[in-house]
Each structure stands twice: as C-alpha cells, then as structure tokens.
Amino acid sequence: MRKKIVAGNWKMNMNLAEGLKFAESVSRYFNNKPAAKAEVILCTPFIHLGGVSAILENSKVASGAQNCASEESGAYTGEVSAGMIKSTGAKYVIIGHSERRSYYHEDDAILNRKTSMALKSGLKVIFCCGEVKEERETGKHFEVVKRQLGNGLFLHSGKEMAEVVIAYEPVWAIGTGLTATPDQAQEMHKFIRQLVSEKYGKEIAEDMTILYGGSCKPSNAAEIFSKPDVDGGLIGGASLKLDDFTAIVEAV
Ligand code: PGA
C-alpha cells in the first residue's frame, strides 16, 4: 500500500533550544489526535537530531536528517555518516536536495553513493529531484528529472527501492512563493512513476511514495495533494510554523 507522507525540512533554521521546543510541540499536537492519514517526519539539522529523536521516540512523528556523508567513516572532517544518523534513532535522510546540488556541487555520482550509504545503514531515503527555471522554460524538465533519477537513484535494486521516497521539487518553486500548479505536479509525478515502473516494474512503482515540494502551504496543499500521483509533501518554510505545518498534514 502506498504511504502518504508529510516531511518538514527545517533547513538551517532554529538553534538547539528552539528546535527541541518545536519538536515537542509537534509531537504533543499529533499524539493528542487520532492517527493522521500521513506519516509525519521532521528533518532537522544534525545538531538537533539526537535530541529531537529522543523527544519523538514512541511518538507518532519520525525524525530525519537533511544530508549524509558519501563515505562510511574515517578522516572526513566535518562530515556526518549515515550510520551516525541512524544511531540517533532517526529513520529518514533527505538526499539530493537542490540546495545541496547547487551550493555544494553534489552531482549524481555523489548522490548515488550517499543513497547507498544511507540504505546500507538502515535509513530510509527521501531522494529529491527537480528542474531549474530555465530548464522548465526550455521544455527540458522531463529530461532533467529522468537523468537525476537514472544516475543518482536507479542504480539501486528493486528491494532497496522499498526504502526510498521520491520528492519532486521544482527548483523555481522552492522558497519563492511560486508553486507548481496541481496539474504540473501531477504531470511530473505521473512521469516519475512511469520511470520507476519501466525500471522496476508496476508493483514497485505503484507502491512508491512521491512527494511534492516547493512553496507548499496550507492554502494550496489540499489541491496539490488531491492529485492521484501526489502522495504528500516535503515542506520547507511552512514546516517552521506549527499551525501551518499541522494544517498541511491535515490537508492530506
Ligand atoms: P519551501 O522548501 O517549502 O520553503 O519552498 C521546500 C524544500 O526545499 O524542501
């Protein structure tokens, strides 16, 4: 059965005390409610992850990281391995976010390695893809997403794909207030599911959770999530406000 997910991506926001307090309020909110229709995940900075994972233990909310190292361990100053992330109690890691691709020059080969490390460590992967504005305007968006998935993700086995969630995030919609229309999201999500089906077969494609990300907010979430191939969202800015984030979860 295909799972619905709403994941908050805090990016580089909130100090430790603020982050722990916020995680407590999210946990309290969902624990006092009947089970949400979507799995709720908080993807925090590394600094917060141990504390947030402890707060969320036995709650209805899961934790995740926003990145992991492409190597297993050793002399890689400043890096955090997938195994370390797993040891905090976190369940997920975001890989291939457009901010990692563009500001930190993470290419398909590195993202493929990071995905391998994460899966090997027992983490579930939220693998991001999406085109920039110019690629959309010149009609290259399908080709770009196909390449990102083909080179960064599809080298993994069908069995491993059960531990993967794909997030389509058009870069021109991230943090800009511009959102893909529900039809644009559906068109790309359907295309992605088709690619998964061609590579891994229909069953794996039908089970694959595909999230939309990019200026998703309470006012547009329900319409985007109503599309048949949109299985939830990866939420940046709106995940930092309790009311907005919970309203988006409830829009599923
Ligand atoms: P946004 O970010 O919701 O602030 O546009 C989404 C993301 O980058 O994951």
Side-chain angles (χ1 to χ4, degrees):
M1 247 281 279
R2 197 189 300 169
K3 194 196 250 182
K4 306 263 186 201
I5 292 177
V6 175
N9 173 11
W10 291 3
K11 308 195 179 184
M12 197 172 71
N13 291 294
M14 295 195 281
N15 68 25
L16 181 59
E18 291 162 348
L20 296 181
K21 195 165 157 225
F22 188 71
E24 261 164 26
S25 42
V26 173
S27 168
R28 203 175 314 120
Y29 182 91
F30 287 106
N31 289 347
N32 290 333
K33 293 235 152 196
K37 294 220 169 61
E39 178 170 17
V40 180
I41 308 167
L42 301 181
C43 295
T44 80
F46 289 131
I47 286 291
H48 301 62
L49 204 51
V52 167
S53 299
I55 288 167
L56 299 181
E57 206 185 345
N58 304 320
S59 83
K60 293 178 183 160
V61 181
S63 59
Q66 301 168 14
N67 177 32
C68 72
S70 57
E71 305 301 322
E72 199 167 323
S73 66
Y76 299 99
T77 301
E79 287 293 280
V80 175
S81 75
M84 292 171 186
I85 294 169
K86 176 78 180 165
S87 75
T88 66
K91 259 173 84 178
Y92 286 88
V93 59
I94 298 172
I95 291 182
H97 191 280
S98 67
E99 287 148 21
R100 301 294 318 170
R101 290 177 188 266
S102 70
Y103 303 146
Y104 303 98
H105 313 294
E106 294 186 3
D107 60 16
D108 295 334
I110 288 177
L111 299 175
N112 177 53
R113 274 191 70 75
K114 290 189 173 199
T115 302
S116 297
M117 288 298 155
L119 294 171
K120 214 169 121 187
S121 301
L123 290 170
K124 292 178 188 288
V125 169
I126 302 174
F127 190 91
C128 301
C129 59
E131 79 285 357
V132 301
K133 189 159 175 268
E134 197 208 342
E135 290 161 342
R136 162 77 52 175
E137 285 170 353
T138 53
K140 296 203 183 86
H141 42 299
F142 292 118
E143 185 188 313
V144 168
V145 166
K146 186 176 180 182
R147 194 210 67 227
Q148 290 172 339
L149 294 175
N151 298 344
L153 183 62
F154 286 178
L155 303 172
H156 294 89
S157 69
K159 190 162 167 267
E160 288 172 311
M161 290 303 274
E163 307 302 316
V164 173
V165 171
I166 296 174
Y168 169 57
E169 298 205 304
V171 181
W172 46 271
I174 296 178
T176 57
L178 293 172
T179 323
T181 64
D183 287 340
Q184 282 174 324
Q186 169 57 22
E187 185 186 32
M188 182 59 88
H189 283 228
K190 190 175 171 203
F191 174 74
I192 291 170
R193 202 176 302 286
Q194 185 59 34
L195 292 176
V196 176
S197 179
E198 281 161 21
K199 172 80 187 169
Y200 297 102
K202 199 159 187 299
E203 196 178 326
I204 289 175
E206 280 307 313
D207 283 349
M208 176 63 67
T209 298
I210 308 178
L211 307 180
Y212 169 79
S215 298
C216 201
K217 39 190 186 261
S219 59
N220 59 26
E223 204 187 347
I224 297 175
F225 296 166
S226 71
K227 293 293 174 184
D229 286 297
V230 180
D231 308 311
L234 180 55
I235 319 299
S239 77
L240 300 170
K241 292 186 210 116
L242 184 67
D243 290 352
D244 285 359
F245 186 59
T246 54
I248 292 171
V249 175
E250 273 148 24
V252 171

